[in-house]
């Protein structure tokens, strides 16, 4: 059973689907919940026959975000990171938490089940900082792939907008981690992330793939690229320009200095915001 | 990237979005070209600008192909652009950052209104690239490279 199937477990019954559809008409709470991803989000008329799949996709995304949060927390506690890199990881974990919170609120607003936060994740053994950064890069690329793919599958355009607002941020994580690893941070002009079948394989290896069919009537879920998707699985970009790997401005120092600055600034900005809120 | 879908019923609104996007991509390319030729950027930053310029050219090419396929005519590249006077590398990077943030936000906004689903996906893939440009430029400017948890950039 794939992670996606696990995440979808129990939500494909006629009952839950009907319940979801019933809620589609009163999604005001969802608008508020997803409001943080952009002003004026409204849930239009979702295509009724696939609305249940929207819930599943939200659940899968929620689980992925929680895996990322756990990964960055584990990395921060590993003792293998420099302070600067640790600060970047903590910052990214915070952004993934924001995403998870938004997805959770959206799920609750449509009375969809919120999957349990995974507690047992099979992280690979990390020997050093580069191992961790490479793992984080793979995870972020997978997240980009997951959101990119799902943005073409949502029956509700507003959910596609929400996915787009999140995936753009995951893409910045990919670039920053690539720069920190002295890899080309912008290898392609069209950023689609990891192909979805690989995303599922990654998720399965991290969360385990139980052999028993515990879904009790859960239909076999196959996830394919949306039919309208551009053929970009292999990058899609014929000419890629010079490889910037190792370019001075993109090196670890610059990326980390910027991110460390970011964390400091974020704190002071938050303080300022809190103060203004109190007024 | 190829825009592989069949445009059974291309809408004028979608074509207008593509036309505006092409113009923005042309302006971005010209801005990076001017920056690279200014003599104010160090070699590594020139390399970055040149690479980003190339990606904007790829976006323009893909968008022009899509627009043509839909029956539209891609806008010609203007002979010149009115860029501000750049006094320093920082001026150039900040100007570029403004263009990139606007571009990322504009593509993000288009996700809401585009009719053609393959255009939605293509636009998101370009939005993501612009967001990466934002991160790199902000990093080069010693600014927070990932300043928001959700697009649009503020």
């Amino acid at each position: 059973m794939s992670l996606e199937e696990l995440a979808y477990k129990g939500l494909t019954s006629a009952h839950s689907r009907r319940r979801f559809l019933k809620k589609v008409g009163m999604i005001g709470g969802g608008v508020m919940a997803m409001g943080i991803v952009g002003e004026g989000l409204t849930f239009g008329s979702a295509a009724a026959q696939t609305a249940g799949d929207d819930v599943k996709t939200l659940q899968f995304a929620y689980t992925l975000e929680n895996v990322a949060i756990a990964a960055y927390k584990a990395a921060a506690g590993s003792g293998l990171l420099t302070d600067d890199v640790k600060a970047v990881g903590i910052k990214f974990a915070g952004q993934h938490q924001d995403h998870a919170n938004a997805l959770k609120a959206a799920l609750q607003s449509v009375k969809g089940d919120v999957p349990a936060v995974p507690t047992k994740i099979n992280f690979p053994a990390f020997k050093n900082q580069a191992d961790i950064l490479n793992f984080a890069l793979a995870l972020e690329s997978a997240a980009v792939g997951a959101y990119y793919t799902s943005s073409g599958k949502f029956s509700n355009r507003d959910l596609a907008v929400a996915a787009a607002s999140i995936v753009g941020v995951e893409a910045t994580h990919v670039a920053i981690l690539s720069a920190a690893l002295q890899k080309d941070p912008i290898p392609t002009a069209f950023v689609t992330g990891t192909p979805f079948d690989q995303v599922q394989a990654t998720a399965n290896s991290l969360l385990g793939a139980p052999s028993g069919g515990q879904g009790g009537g859960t239909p076999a879920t196959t996830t394919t690229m949306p039919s309208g998707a551009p053929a970009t699985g292999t990058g899609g970009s014929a000419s890629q320009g010079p490889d910037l790997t190792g370019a001075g401005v993109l090196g670890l120092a610059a990326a980390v200095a910027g991110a460390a600055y970011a964390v400091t600034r974020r704190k002071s900005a938050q303080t300022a915001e809190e103060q203004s809120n109190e007024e | 990237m190829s825009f592989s879908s069949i445009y059974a019923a291309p809408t004028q609104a979608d074509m207008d979005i593509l036309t505006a996007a092409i113009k923005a991509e042309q302006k971005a390319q010209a801005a990076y070209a001017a920056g690279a030729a200014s003599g104010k950027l160090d070699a590594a930053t020139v390399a970055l600008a040149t690479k980003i310029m190339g990606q904007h050219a790829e976006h323009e090419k893909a968008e022009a192909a899509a627009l043509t396929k839909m029956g539209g005519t891609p806008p010609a590249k203007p002979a010149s652009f009115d860029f501000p006077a750049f006094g320093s590398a920082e001026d150039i990077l900040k100007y570029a950052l403004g263009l990139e943030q606007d571009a990322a936000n504009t593509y993000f906004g288009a996700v809401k209104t585009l009719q053609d689903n393959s255009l939605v996906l293509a636009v998101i893939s370009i939005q993501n690239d612009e967001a990466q440009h934002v991160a790199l430029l902000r990093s080069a400017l010693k600014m927070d490279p990932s300043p928001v948890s959700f697009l649009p950039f503020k």
Side-chain angles (χ1 to χ4, degrees):
Chain A
M1 180 182 285
S2 71
L3 169 70
E4 192 178 43
E5 289 169 72
L6 284 171
Y8 290 4
K9 190 160 69 81
L11 282 135
T12 48
S13 71
H15 173 68
S16 58
R17 177 168 297 197
R18 195 164 55 240
R19 194 175 57 184
F20 171 77
L21 291 174
K22 207 169 147 190
K23 293 292 175 189
V24 167
M26 43 178 291
I27 264 171
V31 177
M32 295 309 294
M34 298 301 280
I36 54 173
V37 308
E39 294 76 13
L41 277 188
T42 53
F43 286 65
S45 54
Q49 67 274 22
T50 53
D53 289 339
D54 287 357
V55 171
K56 296 175 193 172
T57 305
L58 289 172
Q59 290 171 326
F60 182 60
Y62 176 75
T63 298
L64 267 188
E65 293 288 357
N66 279 302
V67 169
I69 294 162
Y72 282 112
K73 283 185 178 168
S78 70
L80 295 171
L81 302 181
T82 64
D83 287 348
D84 286 347
V85 171
K86 189 173 166 182
V88 174
I90 291 170
K91 159 134 189 159
F92 287 1
Q95 295 188 325
H96 287 294
Q97 187 66 62
D98 288 343
H99 301 164
N101 292 346
L103 294 164
K104 182 179 182 180
L107 278 165
Q108 288 172 333
S109 75
V110 297
K111 302 286 188 261
D113 290 348
V114 179
V117 174
T119 52
K120 187 175 179 302
I121 302 171
N122 307 318
F123 292 124
F126 300 124
K127 294 192 190 66
N128 52 43
Q129 180 163 291
D131 283 352
I132 292 173
L133 287 171
N134 274 307
F135 179 76
L137 176 59
L139 207 52
E140 296 281 5
S141 300
V144 170
Y147 280 108
Y148 173 76
T149 304
S150 66
S151 65
K153 293 166 64 183
F154 282 124
S155 61
N156 184 321
R157 178 63 67 91
D158 295 309
L159 290 176
V161 172
S165 83
I166 293 175
V167 73
V169 174
E170 316 281 42
T172 67
H173 294 180
V174 167
I176 293 161
L177 291 166
S178 297
L181 281 161
Q182 309 288 312
K183 294 181 178 178
D184 184 350
I186 44 172
T188 171
F190 304 93
V191 180
T192 59
T194 308
F196 198 78
D197 55 345
Q198 289 176 35
V199 174
Q200 281 203 298
T202 300
N204 287 343
S205 71
L206 289 171
L207 292 168
S211 53
Q214 49 181 277
T218 301
T221 306
T222 53
T223 306
T224 54
M225 290 294 285
S227 57
T232 54
T234 52
S237 171
S239 61
Q240 302 206 339
D243 187 339
L244 286 177
T245 304
V249 71
L250 304 174
L252 178 64
V256 169
Y261 171 84
V263 173
T264 325
R265 239 194 106 177
R266 194 186 192 203
K267 279 180 188 155
S268 58
Q270 278 174 346
T271 310
E273 194 176 314
E274 281 160 16
Q275 283 168 348
S276 69
N277 287 344
E278 284 166 8
E279 285 168 7
Chain B
M1 159 171 289
S2 63
F3 292 79
S4 55
S5 80
I6 295 163
Y7 298 98
T11 66
Q12 187 61 46
D14 281 8
M15 291 165 67
D16 289 347
I17 286 172
L18 282 176
T19 301
I22 290 167
K23 288 178 180 174
E25 296 288 358
Q26 290 169 340
K27 184 175 182 181
Q29 290 169 64
Y32 283 107
S38 69
K40 299 186 190 305
L41 301 180
D42 62 32
T45 310
V46 168
L48 172 63
T50 305
K51 167 123 188 176
I52 292 176
M53 182 173 67
Q55 295 193 327
H56 286 297
E58 288 188 64
H59 300 165
E60 183 195 349
K61 190 176 169 190
E63 289 160 359
L67 183 58
T68 302
K69 201 168 175 181
M70 293 164 82
T73 305
K77 185 180 174 183
S80 65
F81 292 87
D82 285 331
F83 294 126
F86 298 127
S88 65
E90 188 181 2
D91 284 353
I92 296 168
L93 292 172
K94 281 185 173 170
Y95 184 77
L97 176 59
L99 291 182
E100 297 287 359
Q101 291 200 167
D102 285 350
N105 291 350
T106 302
Y107 284 116
F108 171 64
V111 173
K112 193 177 287 187
T113 56
L114 281 170
Q115 298 299 308
D116 187 293
N117 200 46
S118 81
L119 281 182
V120 170
L121 286 164
V123 158
I124 292 173
S125 78
I126 297 175
Q127 164 209 279
N128 292 343
D129 189 48
E130 315 293 37
Q132 292 186 333
H133 296 170
V134 167
L136 296 178
L137 290 168
R138 291 181 67 95
S139 184
L141 283 160
K142 301 286 186 281
M143 299 164 74
D144 180 347
S146 184
V148 295
S149 292
F150 303 93
L151 293 189
F153 291 107
K154 298 284 188 266

